[in-house]
Each structure stands twice: as C-alpha cells, then as structure tokens.
C-alpha cells in the first residue's frame, strides 16, 4: 500500500476529488496548508506598499491506495490538478508499512 | 407706586438684613421674606386692571420653595387660561412695571395652560423651576392643570435627564471638586443647588431615597441652614445677588456668625471647616442618590440595576416608534435592556405593524444609526429577536426564526447564524480579534457600515425556502427597503450585497485567483471599492458565523488576497477598460436618457471614459454631466455644486490643459475646503470631468449667501490662468490654522508602477491628509511635464490615499522620469520646499 500525498491549488480540490471518485476512492484527508516550491511566492502591492507573499495557500490531499492502482491514481491527480502554470503543486508517494483501525484496534491487511 | 408698597419692601429687606447681620438669615428668615413678597405681589396684582382671561401668578424656583434671599431674582410665571389678548397684555404690563420700578430683578415667564401639553424639553431650567412652583395669587385650578403635565412618568424622566445634565455641566465649571478656596454658596459642588438637586431626584424617583442615604434628612436640613445663613450675609455685604464666599467675605461671615477665635484667620478656618463638612455631606448624599436612583437615560427611559427600561408604559404603548430608543440607549450605555421591559414588549409587540415602528424620516434615520456596527449591537438585536420585536419590525426576519437548514457546514439555526454575522462584524469594529487588523481597517473606512449590517440582517431571510435563497432574500429585502424609504443608491448597495453574498467566497476559495481573468471578472462584478470592501467583510463574517472552525487563517489569507488583487484592479487597472459603443450598459444608458439629452451627446461624452465611470455615477448623474459639458470652450468651467448633508459635492467639466487638476484642487484648498473623496476622468477628446466631495470646515458656503458664486468664479479664474492659485494656497497654508509643523505623523508612501496598466503610469500615494495636499502633489506631477489623466481620491482618517494615472506625451513615463518624479514627490511630502 502507498500513501499518496498531493499538494494542489485550492481551487483544484473538487476536481481531484471527482477524479479520485471515478477510481472508486472516496476516503481521503484534505488539509489546508501553506508553502512554496519553485514558485517562491511573489510581490504584491496594496495601497502603494509592497509586501512579499512567500507562503502560498495550497490544499494537501492524502489517500492510501493499493500498490496496483498507484500509477492510475497519480495520473488522475495530475490530470485534474494541472493548469500548466508554475505553482500547480506536487505529488508524493510514500510506502505504508502498517495500518490500524482506531475504533476496533484491528490491524488492517495490507 | 404707592408709598406703602415701597415701604413694605424696605421693611421686609430691613428685617432680613438685620437677621443676616446677626448670622440668623437661615431658612426661617428666608421663608418670612418670601411671604412678604407674596403679600407684595398680591397688592400689585390687586392694583392691576383685571385681565379678560383667567390668570394665576406662580412663584418659581427658589422663590417657589420660599427660599428667597435678600437680592435673589424674583422668578414668576403668569399663567393664562387661553390665548393672550390685548387686555391680558395690559395686565402683564401693569403687573410687571411696578416690580421693575421697585428695582427688583424679575424673571418672568408668560404661558398659556395649553402650552403645557407639550413639555419644553429645550428649556430644562424652566422645567426644574416649575417643579418648585406654587400659586401666589389668581386661579389655582389653572396651575393644577398645568402641573398635571409634569406628573407623568415620561415628563419626570425628561426632567430628571435634564437635571443630570445640568449638574454635570455646573460641576464641570468647578473642575468637579467641592474643595474651592472661595466657594460659590449656591452653585459649587456640595452647595445649595446640589442640595436642591438631591431633593428633586428623590422627589422624582423615590421619595424615601433620602432616608436610606449616607446623610440623613436632619443633617441635610442643618447643612441648608448653614449655607442659607452665609448666603444671606453675602447678599447683605455685597448688596447684590452675589454668592461667592470670597476671602474677604469669609472674614465677615465668620464674624457675623460669631465663630470663636482671637484672630480673623482662626475664625475663618473654623467657618470654612464647617463649610466643607456640610458641602461634603451634601455632595456624598447627591453622589449616592445618583448611583442609587434609576438614572435617566433618555426620553421616557431610565437605567436601573437590571438595565434600561421604560418609565411610562402608557406613553410607550402609544408610541411604538420610541421602542428602538430602548435598544439604542442600551448600546450607548453598554447595558442590557431590563427583563421586565423585554417581557412587556413581547406582550405588546404584535399590536403593531412594521411601519408603526418607523413612521417618520427621523425614526428611519434612527434605525440606520442604531445599525452601525459597534460593541453591544449583537446582544441588543438578540434581545429584540427573543422578545419578538425584531420580527415585528422586520416581518421578513420572522420567516427564519429558529429555521433549521441541514447541510454539512452550518452549526446554528439561520436566525442565529445571521445575528452572529453581526456579532463578528462588531468584534471587528472593536478590533477585538487579534490578527484581523487589516479587515478592521476596511470596516473603519466604510462611509455607511450600517448598510452592511442591514444586508447581513437580510442576507439569508430567503432560506425559509429551500432553493436559491439569495434571490428570495433580495425579493424580501426590497419590501423592507421600500418601507424604510432608503435613497436609491443605498438600496442598490444593500441589494447588491445580498444578491452576491456568496460570490466572493466562491471566487476566493474555489477559483484560481492567480488567474488575472478571475480577478478581472470579480472586479467587474463589484465595480467600486466600497462595495468590494463591504462584500469582503460580509464574506468574512458570514463564513465565520457558519461554525467555529470554518473561517481558518488559511481562508482568511485567500480572502484577503482576492481583496487586494481586486482592489488593485479597481484602482489601478481600471484605466485600460474604457466605454465603447458595443457595451450593454451604454445601450441601457442611451435607452433611458431624457428627451433633453440626445443619444449622440451621451455617446460623445462617455465614449473613451473608463468603464468605471458608469459604476460610479447613476444614469441621472451622467445625464447631468452631459448637459454640463454642452458648449464647453477652452478655459471655460461648467460647474455644479450641491450640499449632501455635511458634505458638499462639486462637479467640474472643462477642457484639459497643463496644471488643470492642480489648479482646481488649489481653488478648493484656497477656500479651506477639505477634499474627502473624488474622481478625475478625462475622455479622448480632452474633456475633463472632476468630481469632488469635500467638507467646508470654515463654513464659508454656509455663512456667505454668494459663497457658491465666489467659488465657481475662482474656478474660472484659476482655469483660465487669471490668478496665481499656487500663491493663494501658500498663503492659506501659512495660516495658523493650517500651518504644517515639522515632521509628518507617518512617512509618506509613494509607489510608482509602470506595469499594472497598459496605458498609464500609476502613482499610488499615501500621505498625511493636509490642506492643499492634492494641489501640491499634482503640481509636482505637472511640473514634470506629465498629464494627469485619471485620479482617485480617498481619505481615511488622517490618511489621504490618492491614485494618479499619468502619462507624458500620451505615453507611459520612462524609468528615468519615474525616478525623478518620485524623488521630487518624496522631497515635497517630507516637508521640503517646492522647487519651481
């Protein structure tokens, strides 16, 4: 199993969710985050005063999926979240060793 | 004058003088003196020709209380039973002339009984004097009828309210301390007038009050006796109505009152020690009474321990328009509304229709004033809602009372969610939420924040239905706007906010705001900065009122960024978007135009102006501008000046030329006008439209009948170059009223942007607001050979926020020119001398 962590533009969350739903993935964690990659923010001006917007608002989507569909999920996320402009985000894939269900304490089969 | 009258007055004075000289001119002596005067007035009355109308002569104030001192004014009321006729006037003269011949200072009032039906709230001292009135001679029943009007709870509250104010004003004149080295025996804190005020408060609120206070009645009587004796000595010694116990008179008073001591200084010290002891006793009792008695809080309102309440419920029942005043007063006093009053309102509110609560323009204005966001507004609105009053005043709001809409996000009923939005706004107003200063500043900038509150109150009323609640809310709000008869511009703002209250959250949280097209479209929707600010604040407080977790710092940031980008689009980028023939709103403008203005005239005028122009001005204003522009010639000025409340609006149409904007601003400054807001627009034909809102701080226009003509003539002279307007402004700036002193309160900000607009170099300037500022800035710009094509002028508190769109020879400025201009502007704004 893999944990797929995608950092995307806030306005792309709904599209990513829809794309994942088409792959029958409905469970996910969505977090409001701020950060920057190569984009490194930009300078904004308000009433003549410049200020640096270094940390940009993004959404982080986390899903845990079977190894067999990882590539398909990654492709779906990229396709949904992509605009082609700098700042589209990142997808990380992380191996998952174990998983437990909190309610019952059962170890999930991976 | 019969000799006997003079003799009787002399005899009465001699009797009181003798007692005063012995230090015995206390209460008993003053009462006897008042009785002598009563007899004298009866004699004069008997000698006067009988008036055709029934009359009563009443003693007022101190004379009414039988506390007439040797040289006190004799205050009387001549009360007639109906309109005063010639014969009555003859009687008045025949009654008063002998008193004046006796060299008495007579304070006389002449009234008809019918006049007492309306309380003279603008004459509080007369009202208080009436409380002590008594009939000396004439028809007693007249007085009883007049006095009945003072016996209502409403009148009592009004008189108490006036008394409170008079006490405060009088004490302020003595720096609020009773420890005066030369005290005024009548007016100083702790002196006779305070004692009388104390008794009046008890009489109007709770006669048993004095029995419970820190100073018992016997002790107060003793203090009055002491002060009266001294006052009699002061009148005797100074031979006039003089009440200041000066150092010199302290010695004489101590001697007359037979204080022990070998030296005058010792006797005086003992006298003054007694004085301060008595003054302290009175002062303490008065302070206690003020804290304990229900405090007058407004017309027919008092503040009790449990909150604001009506005094006279019968009056309140007959005047539902007075109900809002309870909540307004409660907000002002930072107090709740008393439970009993809320319960009474709940019991009676359903007798009235919405219109009954706001029948007059003044009542409707009071509602808008009440809705200004500030601490306590949410709590009071909640009280109004809980007792059913809000739903009677706004029947539309009743539709969402306890309404449950099940969705994933909302945690409260629709009515409570609505009221919470207002609470969130009032917290911004109080700057009570850390990290929200930037939003708080937007709220502080709004010229009419009450419209935002009105929009919030109605933004979700359409949720009584399950679909498309925004449209339904607008429909319902229109009914309310119709009832309140708001001006069309204000109605438009409220409707706009309600209709689009979800648009900014959708754009900020669900659209790619990095995309300039999204921002441009959103700017197109909001149109002008004030609407943007209101919509931004509405979004903030609306989302926050959904649940505790909904408005995260992350979302705040997204919202703020959209606000900033849109604001910049509106103030900086608007110059690139001009009106062309294909525009739909131009078609509307042409279709609605009056017969007096032709389509070609309108098109010629507006074509090439920024599209923003059609958002800033109503079609009616546009037609007026078109008419103003007719037959305009070089150096001519066509101007319209009108007053809107405290603000004046000046519209100027002329043809462009160097230094034009600077000269027009200079004219306003040379008259001492403070420019608050404005726009300067230029169309491709060189036609200039400048629109200013300013305050006339020196009241030049109000005080001079021909002030308007003066101002317009000065504009013509300045534009045609007949006068040196810069010189005039310099003279005005040197006035002691306006002289700029030292370093500005905050460093000016100048930001020059050559990229934000395709056509213009944008100059953003934030500086201390000062007389002539716009004139000086635009002069520097013109001196650099630049044309001022568009200007936005705003003032927020001490800050002037001005955005200039400039060009040189029709193009944006070269970088070197930007550097040079910025350096000169910085030099000027930092207080440097202008270089010609």
């Amino acid at each position: 199993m893999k944990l797929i962590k995608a950092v995307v533009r806030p306005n792309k969350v709904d599209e990513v969710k829809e794309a994942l739903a088409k792959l029958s993935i409905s469970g996910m964690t969505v977090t409001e985050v701020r950060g920057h990659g190569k984009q490194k923010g930009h300078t904004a001006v308000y009433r003549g005063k410049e200020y640096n917007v270094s940390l940009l608002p993004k959404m982080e989507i986390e899903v845990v999926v079977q190894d067999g569909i990882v590539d398909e999920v990654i492709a779906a996320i990229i396709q949904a979240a992509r605009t082609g402009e700098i700042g589209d985000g990142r997808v990380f894939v992380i191996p998952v060793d174990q998983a437990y269900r909190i309610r019952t304490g059962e170890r999930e089969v991976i | 004058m019969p000799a006997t009258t003079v003799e009787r007055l002399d005899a009465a004075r001699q009797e009181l003088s003798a007692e005063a000289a012995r230090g015995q001119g206390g209460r008993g002596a003053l009462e006897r003196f008042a009785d002598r005067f009563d007899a004298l007035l009866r004699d004069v009355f008997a000698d006067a020709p009988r008036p055709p109308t029934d009359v009563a002569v009443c003693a007022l104030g101190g004379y009414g209380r039988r506390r007439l001192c040797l040289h006190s004014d004799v205050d009387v009321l001549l009360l007639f039973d109906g309109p005063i006729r010639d014969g009555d006037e003859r009687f008045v003269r025949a009654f008063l002339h002998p008193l004046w011949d006796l060299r008495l200072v007579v304070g006389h009032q002449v009234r008809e009984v019918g006049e007492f039906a309306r309380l003279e709230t603008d004459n509080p001292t007369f009202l208080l004097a009436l409380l002590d009135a008594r009939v000396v001679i004439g028809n007693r029943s007249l007085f009883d009828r007049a006095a009945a009007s003072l016996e209502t709870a409403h009148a009592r509250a009004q008189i108490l309210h006036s008394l409170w104010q008079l006490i405060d004003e009088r004490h302020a004149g003595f720096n609020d301390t009773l420890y005066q080295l030369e005290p005024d025996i009548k007016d100083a804190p702790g002196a006779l007038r305070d004692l009388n005020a104390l008794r009046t408060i008890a009489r109007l609120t709770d006669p048993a009050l004095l029995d419970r206070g820190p100073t018992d009645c016997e002790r107060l009587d003793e203090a009055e006796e002491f002060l009266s004796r001294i006052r009699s000595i002061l009148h005797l010694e100074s031979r006039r109505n003089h009440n200041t116990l000066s150092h010199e008179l302290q010695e004489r008073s101590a001697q007359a009152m037979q204080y022990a001591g070998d030296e005058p200084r010792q006797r005086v010290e003992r006298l003054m020690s007694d004085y301060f002891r008595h003054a302290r006793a009175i002062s303490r009792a008065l302070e206690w009474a003020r804290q304990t008695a229900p405090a007058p809080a407004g017309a027919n309102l008092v503040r009790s321990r449990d909150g604001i309440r009506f005094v006279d419920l019968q009056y309140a029942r007959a005047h539902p328009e007075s109900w809002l005043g309870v909540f307004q007063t409660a907000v002002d006093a930072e107090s709740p509304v008393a439970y009993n009053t809320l319960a009474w309102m709940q019991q009676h509110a359903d007798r009235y229709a919405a219109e009954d609560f706001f029948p007059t323009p003044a009542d409707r204005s009071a509602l808008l004033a009440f809705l200004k966001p500030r601490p306590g507004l949410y709590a009071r609105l909640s009280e109004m809602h809980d007792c059913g009053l809000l739903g009677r005043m706004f029947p539309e709001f009743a539709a969402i009372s306890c309404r449950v809409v099940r969705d994933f996000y909302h945690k409260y009923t629709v009515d409570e969610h609505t009221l919470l939005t207002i609470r969130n706004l009032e917290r911004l107003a109080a700057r009570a939420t850390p990290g929200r200063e930037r939003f708080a500043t937007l709220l502080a900038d709004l010229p009419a924040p009450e419209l935002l509150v009105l929009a919030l109150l109605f933004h979700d009323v359409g949720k009584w239905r399950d679909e498309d609640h925004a449209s339904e809310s607008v429909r319902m709000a229109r009914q309310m706007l119709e009832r309140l008869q708001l001006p069309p511009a204000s109605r438009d703002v409220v409707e706009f906010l309600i209709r689009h209250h979800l648009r900014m959250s959708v754009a900020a949280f669900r659209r790619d705001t990095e995309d300039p097209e999204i921002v441009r479209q959103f700017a197109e929707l909001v149109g002008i900065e004030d609407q943007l600010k209101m919509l931004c604040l509405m979004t903030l407080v609306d989302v926050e009122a959904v649940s505790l977790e909904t408005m995260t710092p992350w979302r705040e940031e997204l919202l703020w960024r959209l606000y900033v980008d849109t604001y910049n689009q509106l103030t900086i980028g608007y110059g690139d978007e001009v009106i062309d023939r294909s525009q739909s709103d131009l078609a509307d403008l042409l279709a609605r135009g009056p017969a007096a203005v032709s389509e070609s005239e309108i098109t010629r005028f507006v074509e090439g102006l920024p599209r923003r122009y059609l958002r800033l001005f109503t079609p009616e204003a546009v037609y007026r501008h078109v008419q103003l522009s007719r037959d305009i010639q070089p150096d001519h000025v066509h101007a319209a000046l009108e007053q809107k409340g405290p603000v004046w609006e000046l519209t100027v149409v002329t043809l462009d030329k160097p230094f034009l904007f600077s000269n027009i601003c200079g004219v306003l400054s040379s008259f001492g006008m403070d420019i608050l807001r404005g726009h300067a627009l230029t169309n491709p034909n060189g036609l200039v439209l400048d629109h200013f809102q300013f305050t006339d701080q020196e009241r030049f226009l109000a005080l001079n009948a021909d002030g308007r003509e003066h101002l317009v003539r000065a504009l013509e002279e300045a534009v045609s170059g007949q006068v040196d307007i810069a010189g005039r402004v310099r003279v005005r700036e040197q006035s002691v009223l306006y002289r700029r002193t030292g370093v500005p309160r905050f460093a000016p900000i100048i930001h020059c942007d050559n990229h934000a607009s395709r056509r213009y170099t944008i100059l953003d300037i934030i500086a201390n607001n000062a007389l002539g500022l716009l004139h000086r800035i635009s002069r520097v710009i013109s001196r650099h050979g630049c044309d001022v094509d568009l200007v936005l002028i705003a003032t927020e508190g001490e800050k002037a926020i001005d955005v200039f769109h400039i060009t040189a020879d029709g193009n944006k400025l070269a970088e070197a020119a930007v550097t040079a201009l910025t350096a000169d502007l910085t030099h000027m704004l930092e207080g440097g001398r202008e270089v010609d």
Side-chain angles (χ1 to χ4, degrees), chain A residues 8-55:
Chain A
V8 302
R9 294 179 190 274
N11 60 302
K12 289 292 180 184
V13 171
D14 288 344
E15 288 169 56
V16 173
K17 276 162 71 179
E18 281 170 26
L20 292 175
K22 283 180 188 164
L23 297 176
S24 303
I25 297 171
S26 52
M28 66 183 69
T29 308
V30 180
T31 316
E32 296 167 348
V33 294
R34 280 197 255 191
H36 69 76
K38 278 186 185 168
Q39 200 179 350
K40 283 188 183 167
H42 62 279
T43 303
V45 179
Y46 179 56
R47 291 183 165 178
K49 215 169 186 174
E50 287 188 9
Y51 62 93
N52 192 27
V53 183
S54 56
L55 294 174

Side-chain angles (χ1 to χ4, degrees), chain B residues 62-83:
Chain B
Y63 177 33
R65 292 193 303 276
R66 297 173 74 220
R67 295 290 187 271
L68 193 63
C69 212
L70 200 53
H71 296 286
S72 292
D73 296 353
V74 183
D75 296 328
V76 291
L77 166 70
L78 302 181
L79 188 61
F80 286 93
D81 186 14

Side-chain angles (χ1 to χ4, degrees), chain B residues 154-201:
Chain B
H154 174 63
R156 283 165 180 246
Q158 189 70 46
I159 295 170
L160 207 52
H161 183 62
S162 302
L163 176 60
W164 237 250
Q165 286 179 330
L166 289 171
I167 293 171
D168 287 339
E169 286 166 16
R170 186 164 49 78
H171 283 193
F174 293 91
N175 204 14
D176 287 305
T177 175
L178 66 88
Y179 296 99
Q180 311 281 328
L181 292 180
E182 294 182 300
D184 185 314
I185 291 295
K186 188 177 173 189
D187 286 336
L192 283 165
R193 220 185 264 284
D194 271 1
L195 179 60
N196 189 44
L198 171 63
R199 287 173 173 155
T200 304
I201 291 168

Side-chain angles (χ1 to χ4, degrees), chain B residues 238-311:
Chain B
S238 56
R239 296 179 186 175
R240 60 193 169 95
N241 188 0
H242 176 81
N243 300 300
T244 303
L245 184 55
S246 62
H247 293 305
E248 185 191 347
L249 289 172
Q250 285 169 21
E251 282 189 23
R252 295 196 205 162
S253 300
Q255 193 178 1
M257 291 175 74
Q258 298 170 5
Y259 272 87
D262 297 333
E263 297 292 324
R265 189 174 54 82
Q266 293 169 325
R267 293 195 288 273
V268 164
E269 278 178 7
R270 286 179 179 134
L271 169 85
M272 293 309 287
S273 170
D274 275 353
Y275 169 77
F276 289 123
R277 184 167 56 85
H278 289 304
R280 263 198 308 271
I282 293 172
S283 190
R284 206 181 303 132
L286 178 62
E287 195 51 42
W288 181 85
R290 290 185 66 165
Q291 287 169 5
T292 311
N300 197 28
L301 297 173
V302 289
R303 181 179 181 176
S304 314
R305 284 176 191 277
D306 59 343
I308 304 295
R309 63 175 169 80
F310 282 128
V311 178

Side-chain angles (χ1 to χ4, degrees), chain B residues 471-764:
Chain B
S471 299
E472 177 63 4
S473 296
V474 170
R475 186 192 68 75
M476 295 169 79
R478 278 192 186 134
Q479 301 168 358
M480 170 274 294
L481 295 169
E482 191 62 37
R483 285 198 305 272
L484 295 182
Q485 298 177 30
L486 253 63
S490 300
R491 293 186 197 199
D492 289 348
V493 169
V494 175
E495 282 190 28
F496 169 85
L497 291 171
I498 297 172
R499 184 182 305 285
H500 299 300
H501 74 266
L502 296 171
R503 292 289 288 273
M504 196 164 184
S505 62
V506 170
F509 308 145
R510 307 180 74 167
R511 298 283 179 272
D512 182 9
T513 51
E514 302 281 313
D515 181 353
E517 183 55 21
I518 297 287
V519 175
R520 198 196 62 74
Q521 285 175 8
F522 186 65
E524 174 75 20
L525 173 79
V526 292
I528 49 176
E529 298 90 282
D530 280 348
Q531 290 198 161
L532 169 65
K533 288 174 186 173
M534 287 204 257
L535 195 55
C536 178
L537 291 169
M538 190 169 194
T539 307
L540 179 79
V541 299
D542 189 21
V543 174
E544 191 179 20
V546 166
S547 75
L548 276 176
E549 302 83 22
T550 326
M551 183 46 89
T552 59
W554 184 86
R555 286 189 167 187
E556 267 187 57
E557 189 61 27
L558 281 177
L559 183 64
W560 181 253
R561 286 183 190 181
L562 177 58
Y563 165 76
V564 169
D565 290 342
T566 313
Y567 180 88
N568 288 340
Q569 174 71 24
L570 291 173
T571 57
I572 296 172
Y574 75 95
D576 292 342
E577 294 173 8
V578 294
I579 301 167
D580 61 48
R581 284 165 193 267
S582 62
Q583 215 171 315
S584 62
D585 36 7
L586 178 57
D588 292 343
L589 194 69
L590 295 175
R592 292 171 54 187
V597 185
S598 73
E599 287 193 5
S600 63
E601 267 187 310
I602 299 171
T603 309
R604 200 165 52 245
F605 181 82
V606 302
E607 205 169 19
L609 284 176
R611 292 170 68 175
R612 173 188 171 87
Y613 171 67
L614 297 180
R615 301 298 294 269
L616 286 174
F617 296 100
T618 61
E620 291 68 29
V622 173
Y623 304 137
R624 284 198 298 275
H625 296 164
V626 173
Q627 288 171 308
L628 266 184
S629 73
R630 278 180 189 157
D631 305 324
I632 191 81
Q633 300 295 320
D635 291 347
H636 281 196
V637 171
H638 293 180
L641 183 61
E642 70 180 307
Q643 190 172 15
K644 292 191 172 172
V647 174
W648 287 84
E649 284 193 2
L650 173 69
T651 310
V652 177
V653 175
T654 185
L655 293 175
D656 202 9
K657 63 187 290 188
F659 288 89
L660 176 71
F661 184 73
S662 165
N663 285 336
I664 292 174
C665 294
V667 169
L668 289 175
S669 300
S670 71
F671 281 86
M673 307 302 180
D674 185 14
I675 302 171
L676 304 175
R677 290 168 165 242
H679 319 276
L681 306 162
T682 312
N683 81 4
N685 306 321
L687 190 77
V688 171
L689 172 78
D690 290 350
H691 182 265
F692 297 94
Q693 290 180 332
F694 61 85
T695 53
D696 179 6
Q697 291 176 312
E698 296 174 9
R699 303 188 64 228
F700 173 80
L701 294 169
L703 298 174
N704 295 280
D706 58 351
R708 292 173 181 227
E709 290 75 38
H710 260 293
L711 185 66
V712 173
R713 202 176 317 125
L715 282 169
E716 287 165 355
E717 289 170 356
V719 169
S720 62
Q722 294 171 45
V723 293
D724 169 25
I725 200 65
R728 282 193 186 177
V729 176
R730 264 198 296 275
V731 169
R732 176 66 69 147
E733 285 171 347
Q734 291 308 313
S735 147
V736 289
L737 298 175
Y738 299 106
R739 196 178 297 155
R740 281 174 287 153
T741 49
V743 184
R745 282 180 293 278
F746 61 87
I749 298 167
I750 302 171
H751 182 263
C752 207
D753 189 333
N754 243 343
H755 306 289
S757 165
R758 288 194 306 275
R759 302 166 65 188
Y760 303 104
T761 296
I762 312 290
L763 200 53
D764 225 332

